[in-house]
Amino acid sequence: MSTQSKPKEIISTLLRHPLLRSIWIVCLTVATLLPTYSTAFIMPQFVDQLTSNIESDARRTARNIASLLPLTTEPLGRQHITSSFHADLHQAMLDFEIADIRIFSANGEVIFSTRSKDMGKMNTLGYFRNRVAKGEVYSKIRSKEGRSSEGDFLTRDVAEVYVPLMSGNVFRGAFEIYYDVTDRHKAMKQLLFRSSFMLYFIAFLVLILSGSALYKASSAIVQRDRAERLLQEANQCLEARVSEQTHEILVTQRISIEALASLAEFYDPETGEHLARIQEYTALLVSYLEESSAYSFYIRERPGYVADLELASLLHDVGKTAISKDILLKAAKLDPLEFEQIKQHTVVAGEVLLKANSVFVETFKKDSYLALARDIAVHHHERWDGKGYPLGLEGEAIPLSARIIALVDVYDALRTRRPYKNAWSHEDTVKEIARQKGRQFDPHLVDAFLAIEKEFNLVSSRHTVDEPQYFAECAISSAPGVAAL
């Protein structure tokens, strides 16, 4: 790293590093808030306090001045301003350090003023009518060279305070008292300046010290960041290689599973299409069940269930490798002994897949998709009414995975040509599956199938070409070939 680029890299590191960036933001915030607090809170509070003090003085002054007037409840008028009142008022102004004073009648007319030019003027401004005349003290601090509430040019800092004179709830008039606050205002400004200067200095000091410390800390981790980047690049390269090898393993695994499944269906020239359809039917049905069915919660609380079920469905008939070719391809009705041999393909598959999954459990302490495949292979010929094989399980005692594959396998078996039958139409297949609701198939699965049966037909049409319809006058249960295979 060159000398010229080093500061830029260090600053970039400071802004990139979460902890350093957070510390800098905190320091910058504190340094900004200190003067902001002074401007937005301290200064207004000083002004409010000064105004409050002046208002308190004005109320006391007004009470004293009011005591000099005749005790009456009638509105103030010029008749109340006697010569003795003038003398008493002059002394009160000296005692209370009042710069100027005006007295208003109830209708806003100036009936007395230390400035003769104001006599007889009317105060028709909103604050007088809406606030003072309603018994509220109104005050403003005006700066030198500004304008008073009535628009007069000011040559000094003044506080003008309107104090209403009330008799019960009746407004009699008001006093407008001007205080010369030049000295107090100046002292307040000096105090605020010193306070603000101190806060700005502290803020500046915080920024300098924190910036210096953070710059040094950032500089110290530049080399570490370089090493981390190199390590990250190496890790990314390694991860890419691992990902590629993992993908190869998964592809090899899938090919091996499909090859094993194809071996089980060796005698069927359309084995590949059959397996592809079974997977698509399974994905359609399980996806619908996951979104809207009695089994939604069961499926959602098992991450990877849909993908594992799709993969496991390929092995549903792996046990057929143990069955004689003559029996599997027999076009006529199977005799009882042959049918018993057919049933054994579920038991054989169960034993093989159980052993395979046991190896996985011993290594990783959990089941693989092979446990799901075993449930499917063993129980996909069980019936909801308990009349299936190999164990004669009934209802929900049959694993859900096996119930799902049972339905999609029968749909595919009916829709395709087999040695013992021609292909059925989609409409007849749907009717037959609906007829077997609560008998051969789980009622919830049949309802789900009927909701998406058109999508099943699209999959079937895409992968196969229907042959001439041959609808036998018999149910699935009386067609051993369909029920068994």
Side-chain angles (χ1 to χ4, degrees):
M1 182 175 65
S2 66
T3 304
Q4 292 181 344
S5 63
K6 185 175 181 179
K8 182 178 180 181
E9 183 177 2
I10 292 174
I11 293 173
S12 175
T13 301
L14 188 153
L15 297 176
R16 176 174 53 83
H17 196 283
L19 178 59
L20 297 182
R21 184 174 65 247
S22 299
I23 294 174
W24 174 244
I25 291 174
V26 170
C27 293
L28 188 61
T29 302
V30 170
T32 304
L33 286 179
L34 284 175
T36 302
Y37 177 77
S38 174
T39 302
F41 294 97
I42 295 180
M43 292 179 67
Q45 286 180 8
F46 269 103
V47 174
D48 290 344
Q49 187 61 45
L50 178 61
T51 303
S52 177
N53 292 339
I54 292 173
E55 285 184 356
S56 298
D57 291 343
R59 288 190 185 95
R60 288 194 297 271
T61 302
R63 282 196 297 268
N64 278 275
I65 296 173
S67 67
L68 302 176
L69 295 170
L71 185 60
T72 179
T73 59
E74 64 179 340
L76 287 178
R78 296 194 180 191
Q79 69 274 15
H80 297 110
I81 312 301
T82 63
S83 57
S84 61
F85 175 76
H86 272 274
D88 293 337
L89 182 60
H90 178 72
Q91 185 60 45
M93 291 179 65
L94 293 175
D95 294 340
F96 293 104
E97 299 179 351
I98 299 173
D100 288 302
I101 189 167
R102 286 192 290 184
I103 301 177
F104 294 88
S105 64
N107 63 3
E109 180 187 358
V110 178
I111 60 176
F112 174 81
S113 176
T114 53
R115 298 177 296 183
S116 57
K117 64 178 182 178
D118 295 333
M119 291 295 293
K121 289 184 178 180
M122 298 293 295
N123 191 329
T124 59
L125 299 174
Y127 66 86
F128 189 86
R129 297 193 310 272
N130 300 328
R131 299 179 64 176
V132 179
K134 293 182 180 180
E136 183 180 343
V137 175
Y138 175 78
S139 61
K140 284 288 183 181
I141 294 179
R142 306 290 183 178
S143 298
K144 181 174 61 175
E145 297 181 358
R147 296 282 178 176
S148 68
S149 298
E150 291 79 19
D152 296 329
F153 183 79
L154 299 174
T155 59
R156 54 191 170 178
D157 295 334
V158 299
E160 49 181 347
V161 185
Y162 289 80
V163 181
L165 181 60
M166 308 294 293
S167 180
N169 292 326
V170 178
F171 177 59
R172 295 184 60 203
F175 299 98
E176 182 184 13
I177 302 172
Y178 283 82
Y179 289 95
D180 185 348
V181 294
T182 303
D183 292 338
R184 281 189 280 182
H185 208 196
K186 181 179 179 181
M188 183 187 70
K189 287 182 177 179
Q190 289 176 345
L191 179 60
L192 290 175
F193 174 78
R194 287 195 295 269
S195 300
S196 298
F197 177 80
M198 182 59 65
L199 289 174
Y200 276 100
F201 177 76
I202 293 173
F204 178 75
L205 196 61
V206 168
L207 285 179
I208 292 297
L209 295 177
S210 61
S212 177
L214 291 173
Y215 187 87
K216 290 179 180 179
S218 179
S219 178
I221 63 173
V222 165
Q223 294 301 323
R224 189 195 68 182
D225 285 348
R226 285 181 173 180
E228 286 180 352
R229 286 195 294 270
L230 292 174
L231 180 60
Q232 185 179 16
E233 291 173 2
N235 286 339
Q236 288 175 347
C237 181
L238 180 60
E239 287 173 2
R241 292 179 61 186
V242 170
S243 177
E244 182 181 357
Q245 292 178 357
T246 301
H247 180 67
E248 291 178 359
I249 292 172
L250 291 175
V251 171
T252 303
Q253 179 191 51
R254 188 173 187 86
I255 292 173
S256 301
I257 292 169
E258 291 178 353
L260 182 60
S262 298
L263 181 63
E265 302 281 351
F266 180 73
Y267 307 115
D268 186 349
E270 294 188 355
T271 295
E273 291 294 331
H274 167 66
L275 295 178
R277 289 192 301 270
I278 288 295
Q279 281 197 296
E280 289 197 50
Y281 296 146
T282 300
L284 285 173
L285 188 55
V286 178
S287 296
Y288 182 86
L289 293 172
E290 184 179 18
E291 290 298 321
S292 176
S293 76
Y295 301 124
S296 295
F297 179 76
Y298 177 89
I299 296 173
R300 289 173 185 171
E301 71 174 0
R302 290 165 172 77
Y305 183 85
V306 177
D308 286 348
L309 187 59
E310 284 186 64
L311 191 60
S313 67
L314 294 172
L315 299 175
H316 68 285
D317 272 341
V318 69
K320 284 183 180 180
T321 56
I323 307 302
S324 168
K325 173 182 176 181
D326 294 335
I327 295 177
L328 289 174
L329 296 181
K330 184 176 180 180
K333 183 177 181 179
L334 302 176
D335 61 41
L337 181 59
E338 290 170 332
F339 192 55
E340 288 301 318
Q341 291 183 46
I342 283 289
K343 291 180 180 180
Q344 290 304 305
H345 82 280
T346 60
V347 178
V348 170
E351 292 176 353
V352 172
L353 294 173
L354 176 63
K355 290 180 181 179
N357 187 59
S358 296
V359 175
F360 190 91
V361 171
E362 288 177 5
T363 305
F364 299 104
K365 309 303 179 186
K366 63 179 182 179
D367 283 324
S368 70
Y369 75 94
L370 294 171
L372 208 58
R374 178 189 176 277
D375 287 341
I376 293 171
V378 174
H379 300 295
H380 71 284
H381 285 293
E382 303 284 4
R383 293 171 55 100
W384 184 257
D385 57 13
K387 296 179 182 180
Y389 67 87
L391 302 180
L393 299 182
E394 181 178 355
E396 293 187 355
I398 306 168
L400 176 61
S401 55
R403 283 178 265 156
I404 292 170
I405 300 305
L407 190 150
V408 301
D409 192 35
V410 167
Y411 176 84
D412 192 66
L414 292 176
R415 289 286 287 123
T416 54
R417 181 181 178 279
R418 295 292 175 92
Y420 45 80
K421 72 169 192 69
N422 287 335
W424 288 26
S425 70
H426 173 73
E427 291 74 15
D428 290 332
T429 303
V430 171
K431 290 178 183 177
E432 181 60 23
I433 290 177
R435 191 175 71 84
Q436 293 296 334
K437 177 180 178 179
R439 299 161 70 183
Q440 184 170 356
F441 304 119
D442 179 339
H444 294 301
L445 300 188
V446 174
D447 290 339
F449 166 77
L450 294 177
I452 56 173
E453 47 91 4
K454 290 184 174 58
E455 296 180 51
F456 270 62
N457 188 35
L458 290 176
V459 173
S460 178
S461 301
R462 187 166 64 249
H463 287 283
T464 60
V465 178
D466 285 347
E467 297 184 11
Q469 177 184 349
Y470 173 76
F471 187 80
E473 297 296 331
C474 59
I476 296 177
S477 59
S478 62
V482 174
L485 302 180

